[in-house]
Amino acid sequence: MTHSDVPRKRTRIQAQNEARIIRAAMDVFSANGYRGATVDQIAGSAGMSKANVLYYFNKKQDIYTAVLEQTLGIWLDPLDELNPDGDPIEELWKYALQKLRFSQQEPLASRLFANEILQGAPIIRPFLENELKNLVMSKCQIIQQWIDHGKLAPVSPLHLLFFIWSSTQHYADFSPQINALTQESEDELFADAEKTLKLLLTRGLKP
Amino acid sequence: MTHSDVPRKRTRIQAQNEARIIRAAMDVFSANGYRGATVDQIAGSAGMSKANVLYYFNKKQDIYTAVLEQTLGIWLDPLDELNPDGDPIEELWKYALQKLRFSQQEPLASRLFANEILQGAPIIRPFLENELKNLVMSKCQIIQQWIDHGKLAPVSPLHLLFFIWSSTQHYADFSPQINALTQESEDELFADAEKTLKLLLTRGLKP
DNA sequence: GCAATTGTTGACCAGATGGTCAAGATACGA
DNA sequence: TCGTATCTTGACCATCTGGTCAACAATTGC
């Protein structure tokens, strides 16, 4: 340590390996939950030794936190786009459709969240109580105004969001059950889901 | 072993302790998932020694299976009551309401299932593929007939069931998230959920 | 009352798992 | 090229956890 003890800059190898570990950890955590995942599995899936994984992330929980944080943004972004000046039903359907697409394209992220919340949200509780809550409250005001202006059926805005979240995430989180009950291909499945959800939402929300 | 080696009958103590263990195991498994639960926790929660728990259930997995099996029936019963001769929307709403009530009154059972399915449904897959699938298929036919007779909006029956399941179970499975986003009392919460869900379903399904 | 069966548990074992460490391999700046 | 900082890993350790067992307690049928 000749010139400084400022935080040393991130090596290319560092960035590369941390990304590899996080990608592998997403697979393992989303499939097995926090307790069910082992550092050895993550290392194997990332193609390196357990000791090396723990060289980049000191503790197992640090890996878990990193994986969660990396996907938190994806949660907020689509909701943030809800446009108060657009057509209410169109805006809400656009949001629901985005969530449904997300369930199809990123099922691992959805299952990671589901696992975390089922275990009581020990890590992301602050996120839920702050960032998410603030965003949700502001968006609920928009929805409430739509209702007050007679542009939307008089639903509870918060529970409307719950309905959108649950019915879309269901396709990622409960896929084993869904696959046991249908022979549709994945594309057909999501096409039918989209059609039915659109019908329920657009008709149900009409003022 | 003097007279027989037929299966000896269940003692009163046996039945009593097995029930106590299953009740405790429901708490522990639903809160921590299969891997996250320990036999010691279950024993502690049941007020007996780990060795004694394993005297009644030879393996940890046997406890888990017993807990699951005991609650499988609850899954089928309400759906089975769907009456083809009743008013379609009324029948479907009655079913949804029953599921919502179940989420409020038996959240542990709901979370137990969610955990099991998130882990790939290793134990209850046969149940999903047989009992549940048969019942669902027969009920989907009823719904399809309602649609064919113009008594219901043209939704996909299977996906309609998915929506009912997801939006009601959500209140049990994601309660940490829900509690982070609202200050409502539990009763208010479920009253609002009921109102919003009823509005969306009854309006959305009108032909 | 008294065997025989059933119930109960502390002590113990084996394997899994998170985490450490020292020692060697590799990359990188001067 | 050389020296330093970074990277990598096998070996190891402590703890946790599912499961066993022998010994003792309680119950029950006769």
Side-chain angles (χ1 to χ4, degrees):
Chain A
M1 206 56 62
T2 52
H3 289 126
S4 64
D5 48 5
V6 297
R8 44 200 181 287
K9 72 180 174 188
R10 280 166 59 94
T11 311
R12 184 180 50 237
I13 297 181
Q14 228 167 81
Q16 191 179 314
N17 279 355
E18 282 172 10
R20 222 163 89 215
I21 292 169
I22 287 182
R23 217 175 312 130
M26 169 76 92
D27 288 354
V28 178
F29 281 130
S30 69
N32 305 98
Y34 179 74
R35 289 282 312 257
T38 73
V39 179
D40 237 357
Q41 277 180 301
I42 296 171
S45 177
M48 62 180 81
S49 69
K50 181 179 72 168
N52 206 19
V53 168
L54 290 170
Y55 168 74
Y56 289 102
F57 296 88
N58 297 344
K59 302 186 206 177
K60 179 187 179 184
Q61 196 179 48
D62 291 350
I63 313 174
Y64 185 62
T65 304
V67 176
L68 275 176
E69 276 175 357
Q70 203 206 237
T71 36
L72 284 185
I74 310 181
W75 228 239
L76 300 180
D77 293 349
L79 181 55
D80 201 27
E81 293 174 13
L82 213 66
N83 176 11
D85 300 324
D87 176 67
I89 291 181
E90 208 171 288
E91 286 294 318
L92 285 166
W93 167 241
K94 202 160 60 179
Y95 173 58
L97 184 55
Q98 218 164 348
K99 292 288 285 182
L100 185 64
R101 294 264 154 82
F102 181 75
S103 275
Q104 183 174 15
Q105 284 155 21
E106 305 281 354
L108 298 191
S110 188
R111 286 195 277 269
L112 184 78
F113 270 74
N115 262 309
E116 161 73 4
I117 292 177
L118 261 179
Q119 307 310 315
I123 305 295
I124 63 166
R125 185 180 301 272
F127 166 81
L128 300 179
E129 289 172 347
N130 299 316
E131 287 93 328
L132 182 61
K133 180 164 190 179
N134 288 338
L135 182 61
V136 162
M137 281 178 63
S138 91
K139 295 306 174 182
C140 279
Q141 282 185 356
I142 296 177
I143 298 175
Q144 188 59 54
Q145 282 179 358
W146 284 338
I147 296 172
D148 293 342
H149 287 65
K151 295 171 163 176
L152 214 57
V155 296
S156 158
L158 184 61
H159 291 265
L160 173 59
L161 289 183
F162 290 163
F163 181 83
I164 292 175
W165 294 348
S166 61
S167 53
T168 54
Q169 292 169 17
H170 188 78
Y171 287 89
D173 302 343
F174 287 75
S175 64
Q177 188 184 45
I178 288 172
N179 288 327
L181 293 176
T182 178
Q183 282 87 30
E184 289 183 303
S185 73
E186 193 193 286
D187 284 341
E188 291 171 331
L189 186 79
F190 276 91
D192 280 356
E194 183 181 327
K195 237 191 312 188
T196 300
L197 184 54
K198 181 172 188 177
L199 193 148
L200 283 176
L201 270 184
T202 52
R203 291 201 188 195
L205 290 176
K206 210 163 284 173
Chain B
M1 204 58 61
T2 52
H3 288 128
S4 65
D5 48 5
V6 299
R8 43 201 179 289
K9 72 179 173 188
R10 281 165 58 93
T11 311
R12 183 180 51 235
I13 296 180
Q14 231 167 79
Q16 189 179 316
N17 280 355
E18 283 171 9
R20 222 163 89 216
I21 292 169
I22 288 182
R23 217 175 313 130
M26 169 75 92
D27 288 353
V28 178
F29 280 129
S30 68
N32 305 98
Y34 180 74
R35 291 279 313 255
T38 73
V39 180
D40 236 357
Q41 277 180 301
I42 296 171
S45 177
M48 63 182 80
S49 69
K50 181 179 72 167
N52 205 20
V53 168
L54 290 169
Y55 167 74
Y56 288 102
F57 296 89
N58 297 345
K59 303 185 205 177
K60 179 187 178 183
Q61 193 177 301
D62 291 350
I63 313 175
Y64 185 63
T65 305
V67 176
L68 275 175
E69 275 174 357
Q70 205 207 233
T71 36
L72 284 184
I74 310 183
W75 230 238
L76 299 180
D77 292 348
L79 182 55
D80 201 28
E81 293 176 12
L82 213 66
N83 176 12
D85 300 322
D87 175 68
I89 293 182
E90 207 172 292
E91 285 293 319
L92 286 166
W93 167 242
K94 200 161 61 178
Y95 173 58
L97 184 56
Q98 217 164 348
K99 293 287 287 182
L100 186 64
R101 294 266 154 79
F102 181 73
S103 274
Q104 183 174 16
Q105 282 155 21
E106 304 281 352
L108 298 191
S110 188
R111 288 195 276 269
L112 184 79
F113 270 74
N115 263 310
E116 161 73 4
I117 292 178
L118 262 179
Q119 308 308 316
I123 304 296
I124 64 165
R125 186 180 300 272
F127 165 81
L128 299 179
E129 288 171 348
N130 299 317
E131 287 93 328
L132 183 61
K133 180 165 189 177
N134 288 340
L135 181 61
V136 162
M137 282 178 60
S138 91
K139 295 306 173 180
C140 278
Q141 282 186 355
I142 296 177
I143 298 174
Q144 188 61 54
Q145 282 180 355
W146 284 337
I147 295 172
D148 293 342
H149 286 66
K151 294 173 166 177
L152 215 56
V155 296
S156 157
L158 184 59
H159 291 265
L160 173 60
L161 289 183
F162 290 163
F163 290 130
I164 292 176
W165 295 348
S166 60
S167 52
T168 54
Q169 291 170 19
H170 188 77
Y171 288 90
D173 302 343
F174 288 75
S175 63
Q177 188 184 45
I178 289 172
N179 287 327
L181 294 176
T182 178
Q183 282 86 30
E184 288 184 305
S185 74
E186 194 193 286
D187 283 341
E188 289 170 333
L189 186 80
F190 276 91
D192 279 357
E194 183 181 327
K195 238 191 307 189
T196 299
L197 198 55
K198 180 171 190 178
L199 192 146
L200 283 175
L201 270 183
T202 50
R203 291 200 187 195
L205 289 176
K206 212 163 283 173

